[in-house]
Amino acid sequence: MVREKIRVSTQTLQWKCVESRIDSKHLYYGRFILSPLIKGQADTISIAMRRALLGEIEGTCITRAKSEKIPHEYSTLVGIQESVHEILMNLKEIVLRSNLYGTCDASICVRGPKCVTAQDIISPPSVKIIDNTQHIASLTEPIDLCIGLQLERNRGYRIKTPKNFQDGSYPIDAVFMPVRNVNHSIHSYGNGNEKKEILFLEIWTNGSLTPKEALYEASRNLIDLFIPFLHAEEENLHLEDNQHKITLPLFTFHDRLTKLRKNKKTLKIKYIFIDQLEFSPRIYNCLKKSNIHTLLDLLNKSQEDLIQMEHFRIEDVKQIFETLEKHFAIDLPKN
């Protein structure tokens, strides 16, 4: 457990992690404070942050299992202690961490007698299993167990429906949310017009993200949602007296990049994230894996840095060059 003494600044807005602990492989806890806030601001921030933490962060789950030897979900197989339904429920509880884009395939192929655990899952290198000891099934006889799995990265949750059942393929309820619970409390201090607030935020995650990482992802997603309003200008509102119509500007990403280029507001570049640059899934995943999250991170890399990145092709580098040159009129530096 990590604890820090809480110090309240009356001038600069600051946040701090005051407690961090790991209760189990599937339960991480973090407690954060933000201060000093003007009266009412703590409620505004806490409500938005709680919704973003629970609903806007993506996670990875096993969403489907397939085996030709399984007649139906509630059947039992000779030589396997658990029923098919119990095996599916065990697969549902497996926690994964990945930077996937969409879906990918994984599999289990073992021979008994054996205790099948999450360690027996064969998955892409970009997928990490949080708890390799998690139980899946017990094979009591020398039989083969082969199951195809579908992994998916998404947000929220999804409940299986009977329409999704196919021959030998069974959907699994998916809870993509890496954040399990969020609590907040507000402490007020001071008198009269000088009254201030401290926001306390508690976050529990399933282990695929730390509470600090979840807080960062939720903040980033909120910034993405509000970026269009940062570029709203009254002179772009055109009022036609004859038709009494108001024409609102289209807030496209390319328009915002053009404004950034003309005004040379480099400070705002750090608030533009690579998932807004309309790169292909391949480029997006490679950049994220290299800890390149914002446009500012990308501009700090040279051409040679990109070429040397793992799984990066010359075609990918060319696409990045074209995007930066087209919308920013800039190029990546050379070493």
Side-chain angles (χ1 to χ4, degrees):
M1 183 187 303
V2 177
R3 292 183 179 272
E4 297 181 9
K5 185 177 180 180
I6 302 176
R7 298 179 182 177
V8 179
S9 170
T10 58
Q11 296 180 354
T12 305
L13 190 64
Q14 297 178 344
W15 77 276
K16 184 183 295 185
C17 178
V18 295
E19 184 176 352
S20 176
R21 67 172 185 261
I22 301 176
D23 294 332
S24 68
K25 291 183 178 180
H26 293 173
L27 188 61
Y28 285 38
Y29 171 80
R31 189 164 183 253
F32 307 88
I33 64 169
L34 181 66
S35 67
L37 296 166
I38 301 174
K39 185 177 179 181
Q41 288 182 339
D43 265 330
T44 302
I45 296 174
S46 60
I47 293 173
M49 187 60 68
R50 186 176 188 276
R51 293 185 65 90
L53 284 165
L54 293 174
E56 296 294 329
I57 302 179
E58 293 184 344
T60 305
C61 290
I62 300 175
T63 56
R64 187 173 291 273
K66 183 176 182 179
S67 177
E68 297 178 354
K69 296 182 179 180
I70 299 178
H72 58 82
E73 181 182 1
Y74 298 100
S75 62
T76 57
L77 302 177
V78 178
I80 302 180
Q81 183 174 325
E82 292 82 4
S83 67
V84 174
H85 179 73
E86 290 174 326
I87 295 176
L88 295 178
M89 291 301 99
N90 291 337
L91 292 172
K92 175 184 175 181
E93 298 299 322
I94 294 177
V95 178
L96 304 173
R97 177 188 176 110
S98 77
N99 56 357
L100 285 175
Y101 186 91
T103 63
C104 73
D105 295 328
S107 64
I108 299 175
C109 192
V110 296
R111 182 171 180 81
K114 177 182 176 62
C115 181
V116 184
T117 64
Q119 188 174 5
D120 296 306
I121 297 177
I122 303 173
S123 61
S126 59
V127 178
K128 178 183 177 182
I129 300 172
I130 301 302
D131 184 6
N132 285 325
T133 64
Q134 192 160 345
H135 181 76
I136 296 177
S138 297
L139 306 184
T140 58
E141 297 182 11
I143 63 172
D144 293 325
L145 176 65
C146 292
I147 302 176
L149 304 174
Q150 176 181 281
L151 312 182
E152 181 177 348
R153 181 177 174 86
N154 212 319
R155 63 182 62 180
Y157 61 89
R158 181 188 305 154
I159 299 177
K160 64 182 180 182
T161 59
K163 295 181 181 180
N164 288 333
F165 284 86
Q166 302 172 3
D167 294 338
S169 181
Y170 302 93
I172 300 175
D173 293 337
V175 181
F176 297 104
M177 301 179 295
V179 177
R180 290 293 181 244
N181 192 21
V182 179
N183 282 339
H184 71 271
S185 58
I186 301 171
H187 171 71
S188 301
Y189 64 96
N191 296 315
N193 295 331
E194 299 298 325
K195 198 168 186 178
K196 302 292 184 180
E197 294 179 338
I198 305 175
L199 172 62
F200 291 84
L201 196 64
E202 294 180 289
I203 303 173
W204 289 264
T205 69
N206 64 359
S208 63
L209 288 179
T210 65
K212 186 176 180 179
E213 290 174 327
L215 189 62
Y216 169 80
E217 288 292 331
S219 302
R220 195 196 73 159
N221 290 335
L222 283 177
I223 291 172
D224 285 349
L225 292 175
F226 287 112
I227 276 180
F229 299 105
L230 294 176
H231 302 277
E233 299 176 357
E234 291 185 0
E235 56 266 28
N236 289 333
L237 300 179
H238 305 289
L239 178 62
E240 299 180 6
D241 295 333
N242 296 333
Q243 300 180 1
H244 301 286
K245 293 182 181 180
I246 296 180
T247 303
L248 295 176
L250 296 177
F251 293 108
T252 65
F253 179 67
H254 305 302
D255 294 337
R256 294 198 293 273
L257 293 183
T258 303
K259 291 180 180 179
L260 284 178
R261 182 181 61 195
K262 290 181 178 179
N263 298 332
K264 297 182 180 180
K265 296 179 180 179
T266 57
L267 181 62
K268 292 184 179 180
I269 292 179
K270 68 180 181 180
Y271 297 119
I272 299 178
F273 296 92
I274 61 172
D275 52 0
Q276 298 173 281
L277 295 175
E278 301 178 1
F279 289 143
S280 66
R282 175 190 179 84
I283 295 178
Y284 173 78
N285 288 331
C286 288
L287 293 177
K288 291 283 287 185
K289 190 176 181 180
S290 300
N291 292 322
I292 299 175
H293 304 288
T294 67
L295 181 57
L296 185 60
D297 296 336
L298 180 59
L299 294 179
N300 287 332
K301 298 291 184 180
S302 66
Q303 300 179 20
E304 289 78 6
D305 292 335
L306 293 182
I307 295 175
Q308 293 175 3
M309 286 169 51
E310 186 179 4
H311 304 305
F312 223 63
R313 303 177 304 186
I314 189 63
E315 291 81 5
D316 302 329
V317 178
K318 289 180 179 179
Q319 184 178 343
I320 292 179
F321 289 168
E322 292 173 357
T323 300
L324 295 178
E325 184 178 356
K326 178 180 179 181
H327 302 298
F328 283 87
I330 57 177
D331 201 351
L332 290 177
K334 296 182 178 180
N335 285 340

